[in-house]
Every structure is written in C-alpha cells, then in structure tokens.
Amino acid sequence: MASMAKVLGLIFANMHEQTLPELTKARAMASVPFGSKYRLVDFPLSGMVNSGITQVGIITKQNYYSLMNHLGMGSEWDLARKTGGLHILPPYGREGTGIYRGRLEALAGAAEFIRESNAEYVVMADSNVIANMDMRPIVDFHEKNGADITCVYGSVVYPVERATAQTILCVNEDKVVYDVLARPAISGEMNVALNVYVMRRAFLDGLIRESECRSLYSFETDILQHKLHDFKVMGYKYEKYFEIIDSMKTYYKATMDMKNRDISREVFSLDTPIYTKVRDVAPAKYGIDCSVKSSLVADGCIIDGYVENSVLFRGVKVGKGAVIKDSIVMQGAVIEEKATFINAIADKDVTITKNRTITGSADFPVYISKGGIV
Amino acid sequence: MNHIKKECVAMLLAGGQGSRLYALTQDMAKPAVPYGGKYRIIDFPLSNCVNSGIDTVGVLTQYQPMVLNEYIGNGQPWGLDRAHGGVHVLPPYETASGKSWYSGTANAIYQNISFIDRYNPEYVAVLSGDHIYKMNYGKMLDFHKSHNADATIAVLEVPWEEASRFGVMSVDDDDVIYEFAEKPAEPKSNLISMGVYVFTWSKLRKYLIDNENDESATKDFGKNIIPAMLDNKEKMVAYHFDGYWKDVGTIDSLWEANMDVLDPKVPLDLLDDSWKIYSRNPVMPPHYAGPQSRIENSMIAEGCDINGMIDFSVLFAGVTVEEGAIVRDSIIMPNSVIKKGAVIEYAIVGEDCVIGEGAHVGERPELIEDKSQWGVAVIGHRVNVSDKAVAPPKAMISKDI
C-alpha cells in the first residue's frame, strides 16, 4: 500500500464552470451548493482526507471569495495543520502568466507549491463529480502498474448530449488507455473520465516545464491526446456511485439521487464522511399542520407548509400552506405562505412571495438566481 | 510563558454529578447532558462567555469527565482555541501535600487560584454549568463596575412558591443585597440566585483563602463565601435578569426545558444570529423525512432518518425512526434507533439506544388513573429495549430490558 502521507492532492476549483453558468455566476464551481448542506468541493476534498492525504492545494481562477469563506483554514476537513494542510492557490500573478486557459497553465501557476511539497505522488481532481472516492486503491494501482498517468473513469450509458460535454476514454483489457476522445458526438456505453488523475510528482513537474516552453495549456488535448503513446497512460475503473455535474439537468438529477437511501448511505458514509463548513444553527423546526415526505432537510429550517420529494438547505423557511415539490431550495430562501414551488431551483436567499406559483419541469427546472424576489 | 493580562476570567463549575438525572448522568457529568436537539448543556454558558467577550474560561471538572473533556477539546467550536486564554479543562490534581478532590464549589476555585492569577484579572465570573439561558455577562460586568461592587449576583424573579428551592436574595432599592438565604423554608424574597456571579478578583481571592483555612466551612459559595462577604459588609449587588433561565437538574425540568424549544411563546430563540449558541457539530448528512413520515411540532437534527410519526418531540442527530413507530412528547438523544411499531410517549431516550419492534416506552398522562403513578419514562444511554418490552411511566431504565 502506498503511503498516502507522500501524496499531494490538487483540486481545480473553477473547471467546468461553463456547464453550469447560472450557478457559477457569482461563485466558483467548487463552491456551488449541493445536497442540502455541502459545496461541490467537499466531495473531492473529503475523499482525499479520508484517503489519508494531508496536504491539499486548491487551484483557483476567479470568483473564489465564497470558496475561501467556505474552506477557511480547513479545520472542518482536519487540514488546519502545522505541516501540509490546506492551501488555497490563487492565480499567480507571475510574469507571463495570468488567468489560465487550461489545466496545464493552471498547474504552471501552482508549480512552486507542487515543487516545494515533499510528495512522491500527486492526485488531481475537479469539483464537478459527486462521489465518495477512496484514492488509496487508485494510487496503489498507479504504483503497481508503473504508470506515468492514471486516469480514473466510470462506465456509463450516455446520450449524445452528455458525451459531447465529457472526455471519453478507450481502455483495453490491460487497462491501458489507447484512445482519448474529447467531447465526441456518440451515445451508448462508454468510459467517461472522472477528471481524477494520478502522477508521480517528478513526472508532473516535467510535464509542467515542457508545457511552459512549448506553450501547451490543455492537459486533455496536449498531453492525453497528443502524447498518449509517448507515455504509459492507464485507466482505473471507479465502480461505486458517481455523477458528473455538467448541466442544470444533471445537477438536479444528482441532487435528487441523494434522496435515494442506498446512494445516500454510500455517498455520506459514516465511516468516510463528507465534511463541510460548520454553521451553528439549531435543528430544523416543524410546525403545526406541516407535512414533509421523501425530502432532505438541513438544520435551521422552519417548516410550516408541505414539502415533498425536495431538498432544503440550511435556514429555509416554508410558510403556512406553501407547497414545495420536486425542488431544490438553497440556504436562507423563503417560500412564503401559500406559494407553490414545483420542479424548480431557488438559489441562496431567494424569496418566493405569498401566493406566487413557480413551476418548471424535471427536464428543465426553473432557476431563480441568488437573492431574487419573485 | 508570558500571560497577557485579562480583564475578566470565567470559571465554569462543571463537576456536578446531577444525581437527580439518574440514568442520564451515570456516565457523564450534568453539563454534558444533551439538550435542545444538538447541544449539550455546557454550550450555553460557554457560548454566553464568547458572545460576552470573555475569551478565557476555566472549566472545573470532577465527576465523569470523559465525555465533557472530549466534547470541549481545544475549544474550537466556541472560538475558544486562542493563543492567549481560551478554554482550559481543570480537573482536580495531586500536589506535594497530597491529593484532593474538589470538596465544594469554593474549594474548586480555590484550588485553581494559580490558574486565575496567571491572567492577573480584575474580575472573575463564576458560572454554574447546568442552566439553560442566554445572558450577556459583559453587561453584568459593566453593572458590577458602575456599582463599585465587590460581588454581583445575577438574580431572577420567580413565583413565590418556587423561591424556597433556590438561594434567595433580599435587596434594597439600590439593588444592594442585605440578606441571603440558601433554600429557605420561608423565603423573604422571590429573587433567586441564578448561579452566575461576578467578583472583584482581589476580594474573592482573600475570601477563598480564608474559607479554605476555616475547617468548619463546607467550601461552598452559597453556604460560605456569600454569607461571609455579607457579614463583612462587602458591597454586593443584585443584577436583574428577565430572560429565559431554566435549571435542568431533574428529569421533569430537563423534559420541560426541551419541550420549551418547541413552544413559540417561550423566549429562548435558538435561531437568533446575534447570540448564537455554538456546539460541536456532528458530521452528518441532512436529515431525511421518508415517504411514510409524519412530523409535526418537532425539532429534528441532521443525520436523522424518519419514517414514523413524530409529534411534539425533539430528535437529536442520527436518530432513526422506522415505519409505524410513534414518538410523541419525547426526547430522543443522538444515534438512537426506534424500531418498527415501537411507541415512545412522554419519555427521554438516551444516546445510542435501540428500542425494539413494538416496544412501548412511557405513557400519556390521560391514560393513567392514579396520577401519582405517572411521570416521564427514562431510558439511559446505550440501553437496548427488546422487542415488545414495556417501560412504564416514571421508569428509570439503565440496563437492557
């Protein structure tokens, strides 16, 4: 077993924001609220921590205030440490670099942090996958196979519109990646990359140096595609629950998945919990004549209405006679008396006023942006 | 180590057994008893300290301290992990002259004079660790200073018939205390001590030492220190508090205080952002109200998994209530499981219990003819109640049945 103390975790906070423009308008992908009390970064970050990784860098690009606010010093993830711990890496203002264009340029911005760590391996992850991923067997796999790059993938059946948003891997019986398709217009069974990659630190360092002098910036195109046969690139199949969030529709679906008890027990396993920022609020309060069924409810909610098949974040208020169905209601939102909210997503601090009716469909949930009053 | 001077240090008395809570305090001190869906009693005085600007707190422990020690940890949940000051757990210790348990509330502070002296404070707040209330000790300290007092005692007006259960103060028009009686049969006033004191440290220090040298003394604040200061005409004033304050020393009062969080008329707002009650938060997902759940008039914490019926109840984190189970007018502490068809009424179920299928704990008072036989049923922590077993009203169960 590889010693996880020798592994550096890197999380990209801003990748894939174009797939969720509404939710990432005022925040990084990593701080998109999810599942009643979490932010997307909690999933890769907790996975790394539960795997024994004790040094993690979060690579940011823009809109990272809410992310910094969420992560603080990292104490909730037990990463407020004397050595290692959590480091938020803002886009370096080094000469010649600015806001990065792709993963390689982002890594170049963090090169000093990567070089200064004593890690032997680097595990990289993005903030767009919901999973409770154990990184230990992946690092083991990488080590045992003597791979240069290990790509984690999942086996899925996707329609064209999902495949065209993803990187698809072709993996042979020896678990070697022999082809990489970027956003192909295909459908059916395929291996989708979960954007989790393992490399030796020295190898990654070499890639960063080479990319800088050759002006390469996309890890997927310039390395995985163009240099696939120069390196030993292996595929590790992740067999447990995951969902890639690549549209409002998949965000909605993944959220609703958390109400499935089997999925939720796996993703929110008590042995490898998903950690998140603590908010000191009282437990949820249910009033007279309220009814809540098949729903997830966070602390601080005050419920006097009807809630079905929905996910309520912290501090949501549901007025008397209000109806919430098949919806996601984020922190601090208020659904006033007799308002109706069906197949819809309310961002933080939204107010749906008395007697108003908002109805979307499961395929196209209505989205009300942060602080909106309807 | 260089200690920066603090204006006020708080000493929190948390060593009490809380013997009238029986099964609930068998393996934890009273301040560690769960309260209000996610708190432990000690969260209230600790949060009050932080919100009042007191950042140096000594917690005096003695009886069953493990749960409390672990809970307080480095004080981070209350923002008390400070470079200077912060929270310190102070258990009794052995010295060159021998070992000594804390033999009374005054003795407990006496044994920690050196802890207080390190911060060279002007004032010391002595707080009892077993009440539920939100109070700004900073305002009380201002009152103490503006009255040039040697001791300030927080007082609360109670109905006359209840006064004899507490320490009773008689005060003049300027709120100067001229008489104090500990649990008097015939109270002369209905102002009672809340167990919250502010002392000028130089004065208290002297009285603690004198009291320690007096072999006849019981080393107790109410019985010795306060009467001695009164006898010597030290300036002692009463600070009036009119908010919610509840002693949770008995099963009935603990049950009532929990039910109070469900009552919109009770002035204890746990959702008030300007005076947050901090606690060590369990790492759990949100709670899930299942397709069969019927929840009303209740407080439900994160991590719960509910498929039964819940009414007028407080459920702590990680409680499971299976299909067909009924929980009414009850308190279920963290991680307990209520199996299918079990009925819990007017009961307190401790932490990590399993109530078997079809079991019946407690009873509604209207179904009991002889009211003297009725009372809240209690299942102690980590107790298993087997399928179809019955725990009658007033039961105090501390072993599996």
Side-chain angles (χ1 to χ4, degrees):
Chain A
M1 198 91 174
S3 162
M4 296 303 283
K6 285 277 180 196
V7 178
L8 172 68
L10 288 177
I11 295 173
F12 294 86
N14 296 86
M15 295 276 175
H16 317 290
E17 282 173 357
Q18 73 286 355
T19 66
L20 271 187
E22 299 95 331
L23 290 171
T24 56
K25 196 173 162 222
R27 52 170 83 91
M29 187 73 179
S31 59
V32 167
F34 181 84
S36 208
K37 61 183 283 195
Y38 303 95
R39 302 275 182 158
L40 292 180
V41 72
D42 294 337
F43 294 86
L45 187 56
S46 302
M48 287 178 179
V49 167
N50 289 329
S51 306
I53 296 175
T54 57
Q55 41 180 342
V56 180
I58 312 270
I59 298 177
T60 62
K61 183 179 187 181
Q62 64 222 359
N63 268 341
Y64 50 88
Y65 167 72
S66 73
L67 180 64
M68 291 180 70
N69 186 4
H70 178 71
L71 295 170
M73 293 180 301
S75 31
E76 275 96 352
W77 297 264
D78 201 16
L79 286 174
R81 293 183 180 231
K82 208 143 202 176
T83 50
L86 184 76
H87 295 264
I88 296 174
L89 307 168
Y92 279 45
R94 288 191 312 148
E95 237 179 301
T97 70
I99 298 291
Y100 60 78
R101 286 174 292 174
R103 201 183 292 277
L104 287 173
E105 279 186 349
L107 286 164
E112 210 172 314
F113 172 75
I114 296 167
R115 275 167 208 152
E116 274 177 9
S117 95
N118 62 349
E120 205 173 320
Y121 296 99
V122 176
V123 175
M124 309 194 310
D126 290 352
S127 309
N128 66 334
V129 179
I130 302 301
N132 190 336
M133 196 181 284
D134 186 354
M135 311 284 183
R136 282 168 294 195
I138 306 169
V139 176
D140 265 354
F141 172 93
H142 181 82
E143 201 175 32
K144 234 172 259 162
N145 287 293
D148 291 320
I149 302 172
T150 294
C151 313
V152 179
Y153 68 90
S155 168
V156 291
V157 177
Y158 271 178
V160 174
E161 74 258 29
R162 290 210 72 182
T164 48
Q166 300 301 333
T167 302
I168 305 301
L169 306 178
C170 302
V171 186
N172 71 17
E173 286 159 10
D174 298 325
K175 295 168 184 162
V176 171
V177 177
Y178 65 87
D179 204 359
V180 175
L181 309 171
R183 299 173 292 282
I186 56 172
S187 64
E189 246 178 83
M190 60 191 84
N191 297 322
V192 63
L194 299 183
N195 307 316
V196 173
Y197 301 103
V198 181
M199 281 166 269
R200 280 192 170 272
R201 184 179 61 106
F203 176 84
L204 175 63
D205 197 22
L207 278 188
I208 294 171
R209 284 176 202 276
E210 192 191 335
S211 309
E212 271 185 300
C213 58
R214 292 182 191 276
S215 308
L216 307 177
Y217 60 86
S218 166
F219 181 74
E220 285 77 1
T221 311
D222 298 324
I223 305 296
L224 284 186
Q225 289 193 315
H226 296 164
K227 292 183 180 287
L228 184 64
H229 302 291
D230 297 355
F231 301 129
K232 188 170 182 187
V233 180
M234 305 282 295
Y236 176 94
K237 185 174 177 182
Y238 184 68
E239 310 258 12
K240 297 174 88 178
Y241 172 88
F242 68 88
E243 187 57 79
I244 300 175
I245 293 181
D246 54 9
S247 65
M248 210 50 152
K249 193 174 158 185
T250 50
Y251 173 82
Y252 180 82
K253 178 199 173 280
T255 303
M256 293 303 166
D257 276 354
M258 298 303 116
K259 294 192 284 87
N260 176 313
R261 301 321 280 154
D262 293 330
I263 293 174
S264 121
R265 282 191 191 103
E266 187 189 309
V267 173
F268 302 116
S269 155
L270 294 179
D271 300 324
T272 54
I274 302 298
Y275 300 95
T276 191
K277 182 184 165 91
V278 163
R279 298 212 186 253
D280 292 278
V281 287
K285 224 168 158 176
Y286 288 70
I288 294 171
D289 293 333
C290 70
S291 164
V292 179
K293 290 190 196 299
S294 306
S295 295
L296 287 172
V297 180
D299 276 357
C301 289
I302 300 178
I303 304 174
D304 290 306
Y306 303 90
V307 181
E308 200 183 324
N309 208 29
S310 295
V311 174
L312 307 189
F313 283 67
R314 284 156 168 165
V316 167
K317 290 194 179 74
V318 185
K320 267 207 178 311
V323 176
I324 300 178
K325 233 182 124 192
D326 302 311
S327 291
I328 301 169
V329 184
M330 292 189 200
Q331 194 175 315
V334 181
I335 312 295
E336 293 186 348
E337 272 175 56
K338 293 186 183 145
T340 306
F341 201 67
I342 297 172
N343 275 315
I345 300 172
D347 206 313
K348 275 179 80 173
D349 302 322
V350 157
T351 302
I352 306 297
T353 54
K354 212 170 156 178
N355 299 321
R356 281 304 295 260
T357 296
I358 306 287
T359 315
S361 73
D363 278 351
F364 295 98
V366 175
Y367 170 76
I368 315 286
S369 60
K370 191 172 167 180
I373 298 173
V374 183
Chain B
M1 190 174 156
N2 178 29
H3 290 272
I4 289 174
K5 180 179 169 70
K6 299 283 180 184
E7 186 189 28
C8 183
V9 168
M11 298 297 275
L12 186 49
L13 299 162
Q17 179 181 352
S19 55
R20 287 170 302 155
L21 292 176
Y22 307 97
L24 297 175
T25 48
Q26 256 180 17
D27 50 7
M28 64 177 76
K30 183 167 147 188
V33 168
Y35 167 81
K38 76 182 282 195
Y39 308 98
R40 293 186 188 264
I41 295 168
I42 198 167
D43 288 327
F44 287 80
L46 277 181
S47 301
N48 286 340
C49 281
V50 173
N51 291 334
S52 304
I54 297 175
D55 63 9
T56 307
V57 185
V59 178
L60 300 142
T61 61
Q62 176 154 293
Y63 174 80
Q64 288 285 17
M66 187 195 74
V67 175
L68 203 52
N69 283 344
E70 184 188 58
Y71 187 68
I72 293 171
N74 67 352
Q76 188 264 343
W78 303 271
L80 285 170
D81 52 338
R82 303 289 298 256
H84 300 288
V87 65
H88 296 263
V89 174
L90 304 168
Y93 52 90
E94 192 174 350
T95 64
S97 55
K99 338 177 173 192
S100 57
W101 293 102
Y102 293 150
S103 55
T105 50
N107 173 261
I109 307 288
Y110 169 83
Q111 291 203 40
N112 290 288
I113 284 179
S114 59
F115 168 80
I116 300 169
D117 279 345
R118 289 159 85 112
Y119 298 99
N120 188 25
E122 297 302 315
Y123 309 101
V124 167
V126 176
L127 312 168
S128 82
D130 29 348
H131 300 126
I132 304 296
Y133 64 112
K134 293 165 91 169
M135 180 177 180
N136 190 336
Y137 305 138
K139 284 190 179 164
M140 182 174 170
L141 184 61
D142 290 344
F143 182 86
H144 179 87
K145 287 191 270 188
S146 65
H147 283 73
N148 279 320
D150 298 306
T152 301
I153 302 177
V155 297
L156 188 76
E157 205 171 305
V158 296
W160 279 90
E161 60 272 21
E162 286 179 26
S164 61
R165 289 178 22 226
F166 302 96
V168 174
M169 312 282 153
S170 301
V171 303
D172 67 16
D173 292 342
D174 297 321
D175 288 324
V176 173
I177 300 165
Y178 61 86
E179 201 176 339
F180 172 83
E182 184 72 33
K183 296 184 180 138
E186 300 281 331
K188 291 182 185 166
S189 151
N190 64 339
L191 285 182
I192 60 140
S193 163
M194 295 165 57
V196 175
Y197 309 90
V198 171
F199 294 99
T200 299
W201 175 230
S202 54
K203 282 279 173 173
L204 176 63
R205 197 176 186 283
K206 176 180 152 307
Y207 279 91
L208 288 172
I209 293 168
D210 290 351
N211 179 51
E212 196 60 29
N213 294 333
D214 176 0
E215 281 178 16
S216 67
T218 50
K219 324 283 195 243
D220 184 87
F221 269 89
K223 293 194 182 96
N224 305 125
I225 302 288
I226 305 300
M229 289 182 85
L230 267 179
D231 285 350
N232 287 340
K233 306 266 183 292
E234 303 290 3
K235 185 161 187 198
M236 305 180 77
V237 293
Y239 176 77
H240 292 263
F241 179 76
D242 57 5
Y244 178 90
W245 178 85
K246 192 108 181 174
D247 178 73
V248 284
T250 63
I251 293 297
D252 286 349
S253 63
L254 179 65
W255 182 86
E256 275 172 36
N258 274 281
M259 291 302 142
D260 280 348
V261 304
L262 304 178
D263 186 345
K265 287 185 228 99
V266 169
L268 176 73
D269 183 6
L270 295 175
L271 289 164
D272 174 12
D273 274 347
S274 68
W275 202 269
K276 277 190 177 181
I277 302 302
Y278 301 96
S279 64
R280 195 170 281 281
N281 282 252
V283 180
M284 288 204 175
H287 77 254
Y288 177 67
Q292 319 285 334
S293 75
R294 271 184 60 201
I295 310 169
E296 280 186 79
N297 314 306
S298 293
M299 197 165 228
I300 315 283
E302 293 185 339
C304 287
D305 199 332
I306 315 286
N307 252 314
M309 187 195 135
I310 318 285
D311 201 8
F312 284 105
S313 294
V314 175
L315 271 58
F316 285 73
V319 168
T320 301
V321 180
E322 295 184 352
E323 272 173 59
I326 297 174
V327 178
R328 274 196 203 114
D329 304 286
S330 293
I331 297 149
I332 317 289
M333 291 183 181
N335 302 317
S336 285
V337 179
I338 316 296
K339 298 253 184 196
K340 280 184 189 129
V343 177
I344 318 281
E345 296 175 307
Y346 289 90
I348 300 178
V349 175
E351 298 180 14
D352 301 303
C353 293
V354 178
I355 310 298
E357 286 184 21
H360 200 127
V361 176
E363 189 63 84
R364 304 183 76 74
E366 54 267 33
L367 298 177
I368 305 283
E369 232 163 82
D370 180 359
K371 295 294 181 225
S372 70
Q373 295 302 304
W374 183 83
V376 171
V378 178
I379 309 293
H381 307 299
R382 286 163 281 283
V383 168
N384 294 317
V385 172
S386 47
D387 292 354
K388 300 207 163 60
V390 174
K394 264 190 176 173
M396 180 61 61
I397 314 285
S398 49
K399 288 205 178 82
D400 293 358
I401 56 168

